[in-house]
């Protein structure tokens, strides 16, 4: 089965035609989220027509268009509900109408985290599983949840995707979301510099000489034996461990899939988290598997088929 | 519509016939969970026949029997999956077969926390809502979750009911569940004495002279101005606040219903938690309402109709 897919990020959009678990053709456009979404829609439609033609297919042969959006989405009504300085006109657009007019196919929309989970469940690290938590560790901590084969969405589309915002330190830092001590406020890219600076003896660490404190630098200096970097690294791992246990207790998954830029250090993070979960998660039925995402930037596109036609027969 | 209901606790069982949102007749038997469940089944069947007769009804006029069990249950297969030193033979019993033979009616079983949520949603504090988190603050912290009118259960029946076991202090105490810093390990009846004893200047507090440190005593001495009691009370409130925000972020509810023995101090706890949620929960769609459970011990029995026939038409 074929499907069209758009993966819309803040500065680019990838338009693709997929067939089952393969991307047949794709084309990436530069965009500017600050200019809204409306100006880009004709270009997206044209690119989708092009990739279909390159694959020798007509849009009408496709199950539909799966649109992956970088903001809050109400899947049922196919509307964008909230944006964050990117494509701010999107809530007012009739995207389903645009799709039907310009491509003549069915339209479904979902946010990027849920699309990535669908892709990993259909064609990646979570293939064969129906009970999945996905966590992306990067500048922030994102995620999505599938329970018994169904994406968890909730009344306001917020269920299952705020895994970075479960407080793991009730005495901790104020998060950008407004809560206190979220995993994201204690161990993500944006909060890492502040966490480092508030660590004892920070001034003695080579981290204090860096213009930008990143996880890459943190792991680098920890490997080199810097005590401050080691202490912060261990603290971040413990935060992610507690967050993972919280997600397991909240959603009852069989597998946790970890993605995002921080997972470049999977060789450190993955065994730590698997051991943490084995030791501390309460799962009398067995052990939750902790794995790395496999599909990288292709995950959302490969979520097109399950978004449009549902999970495969198991 | 009428239904039969059993609410089975560790030392007693209440058998009832309900009609819609009213308990028509009920009869409470003393039991002993340590003796297993099988010896009590004939007595339960007899009591159910009796309450039906007292209501002038036959079991066959009832929608079925809703059985509320104090342990882990797999609702789909109608089996008890795990017990904790109470009715330990229950996983091996064919309860559906017993019900059909002795009463001739349909059988559904669910755990106590989910049954209480169903009751509150149908006839109590959460009436009219379909997106509900229920939390019971007592010796432990229990709970259940409903999303878009459906109980959240998950693959192993653990989803939505471990709200007391989301870690809120990743550096905290080991919980009885095995995890670190669960809300239950930081602020519940069983952990309160240890939390008090580890508070600075505990020996100077009248709490240190108590044989049993309970929330009743804690609130009593805090009201009287004891600084240790005030400090522990504020810490417990902050733990419950963080746990409530975690549950809101996890499940996207419109209402949080609080029950359990600790809510005798609702006059302190409820406004604190409503303010905490207003201040710290990330709910761009509006405000989550925090309310007290209304049905007390009747909640599980009044969950019988929604368990057997589903949510009412909204």
């Amino acid at each position: 089965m074929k499907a069209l897919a758009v993966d819309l990020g803040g500065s680019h959009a990838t338009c693709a035609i997929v067939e089952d678990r393969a991307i047949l053709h794709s084309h990436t456009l530069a965009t500017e989220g600050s200019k809204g979404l409306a100006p880009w829609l004709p270009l997206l439609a044209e690119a989708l027509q092009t990739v279909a033609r390159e694959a020798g297919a007509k849009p009408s042969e496709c199950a539909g268009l799966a649109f992956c959006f970088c903001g809050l989405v109400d899947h049922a009504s196919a509307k964008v509900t909230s944006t964050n300085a990117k494509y701010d006109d999107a809530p007012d657009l009739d995207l389903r109408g645009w799709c039907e007019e310009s491509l003549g196919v069915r339209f479904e929309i979902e946010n990027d985290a849920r699309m990535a989970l669908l892709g990993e469940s259909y064609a990646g690290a979570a293939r064969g599983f129906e009970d999945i938590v996905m966590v992306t560790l990067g500048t922030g901590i994102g995620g999505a949840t599938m329970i018994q084969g169904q994406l968890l969405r909730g009344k306001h589309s917020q269920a299952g995707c705020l895994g970075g915002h479960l407080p793991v330190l009730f005495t901790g830092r104020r998060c950008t979301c407004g809560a206190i001590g979220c995993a994201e406020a204690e161990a993500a890219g944006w909060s890492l510099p502040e966490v480092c600076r508030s660590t004892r003896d920070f001034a003695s660490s080579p981290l204090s000489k860096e213009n930008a404190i990143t996880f890459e630098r943190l792991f680098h200096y920890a490997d080199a034996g810097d005590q401050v970097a080691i202490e912060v690294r261990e603290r971040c791992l413990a935060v992610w461990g507690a967050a993972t246990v919280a997600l397991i207790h909240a959603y009852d998954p069989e597998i946790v899939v970890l993605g995002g830029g921080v997972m470049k250090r999977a060789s450190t993070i993955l065994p730590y988290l698997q051991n943490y979960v084995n030791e501390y998660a309460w799962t009398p039925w067995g052990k939750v598997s902790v794995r790395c995402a496999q599909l990288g930037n292709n995950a959302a596109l490969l979520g097109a088929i399950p978004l449009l036609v549902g999970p495969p027969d198991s």
Side-chain angles (χ1 to χ4, degrees), chain A residues 192 213-221 264-265:
Chain A
L192 179 64
I213 297 177
T214 63
F215 280 107
E216 191 279 324
R217 292 285 83 191
L218 178 75
F219 279 90
H220 170 79
Y221 288 120
K264 286 175 189 153
R265 281 303 187 120

Side-chain angles (χ1 to χ4, degrees), chain A residues 1 3 20 27 29 33 47 56 60 71 80 127 178 192 219 224 259 295 311 314:
Chain A
M1 182 178 298
D20 299 330
H27 183 47
L29 314 172
S60 60
V80 173
R127 191 169 167 178
L192 179 64
F219 279 90
L295 303 177
S314 56

Side-chain angles (χ1 to χ4, degrees), chain A residues 181-195:
Chain A
C182 297
E184 190 174 299
E186 301 296 333
W190 67 260
S191 55
L192 179 64
E194 178 53 30
V195 170

Side-chain angles (χ1 to χ4, degrees), chain A residues 57-177:
Chain A
K58 292 176 188 150
S60 60
E61 295 168 46
C62 294
L65 170 61
F67 199 106
C68 172
F69 188 80
C70 50
L72 285 185
V73 165
D74 179 50
H75 172 259
S77 64
K79 300 291 273 185
V80 173
T81 54
S82 180
T83 60
N84 184 13
K86 289 182 248 177
Y87 310 109
D88 286 342
D89 59 340
D92 300 322
L93 300 178
D94 176 13
L95 295 169
R96 181 164 273 162
W98 158 76
C99 175
E100 284 167 4
E101 274 174 37
S102 58
L103 296 161
V105 298
R106 197 158 64 84
F107 179 82
E108 302 282 351
I109 187 167
E110 193 42 275
N111 78 32
D112 39 13
R114 291 198 184 101
M115 286 300 292
L117 183 150
L118 283 177
E120 293 288 346
S121 75
Y122 180 59
R127 191 169 167 178
F129 290 88
E130 297 193 320
D131 297 271
I132 306 162
V133 167
M134 184 153 178
V135 178
T136 54
L137 300 175
T139 305
I141 300 180
T145 304
M146 176 181 277
I147 296 182
Q148 298 184 290
Q150 301 292 318
L151 283 178
L152 189 67
R153 292 185 169 110
K155 172 89 173 184
H156 317 91
S157 300
Q158 289 195 269
C161 64
L162 297 185
H165 299 280
L166 305 189
V168 295
L169 186 65
F170 75 95
T171 55
R173 290 174 173 75
R174 192 87 189 247
C175 185
T176 51
C177 81

